[in-house]
Amino acid sequence: MVWTKGASGVLVSLSGEVIGLIDAGDESGYGVMSAFAVSELKEEIELLSNGVSAAYLGINGTEVSDAIADSQDMPKGIYVSSVMPDSPAMQAGIQSGDILTEIGDTKIYTLKGLKDELLDYRSGRQTVIQGKRRGSDGYVDVHFEVTLGSAE
């Protein structure tokens, strides 16, 4: 398989059914691609087919698991690996290295949790995202007032 920055595609079963989507993720050059089952995207597909745009934050991230949190002395949450240019996250001041822990009144520990929570929001809605940022004396609390964008 040849990997190209920014590549994407579909996963097809042997019977020709589309069963998933492929996303190259960020264009950092690490060669990591993600695949999403259609069943994982059902709510987004339903929103888009009804003309409703899903809320967009504009980050790439990874989960800080219990094991990583313990071994690296980090808070549990979503580690922001990159922020999309001109995204709602960038406009709110979210930076690479931040760890997101809460959106609205809901704690978030997984990427799925973040995705599921964003499905309850619409483009243009304002919300507060809580997080942690590493400082000289360890992690400090930060909060961001975010106006979510459109995933179109």
Side-chain angles (χ1 to χ4, degrees), residues 74-116:
M74 299 171 73
K76 191 174 175 190
I78 307 299
Y79 179 86
V80 178
S81 56
S82 64
V83 179
M84 303 301 169
D86 299 321
S87 67
M90 179 174 272
Q91 292 171 2
I94 297 173
Q95 301 175 8
S96 296
D98 288 344
I99 299 175
L100 308 181
T101 58
E102 194 172 317
I103 181 168
D105 293 328
T106 305
K107 301 246 184 246
I108 50 171
Y109 299 109
T110 64
L111 290 169
K112 182 177 181 344
L114 175 61
K115 181 193 96 155
D116 289 348

Side-chain angles (χ1 to χ4, degrees), residues 18 29 51 58 93 124 127 130:
V18 174
T127 189
Q130 303 291 338

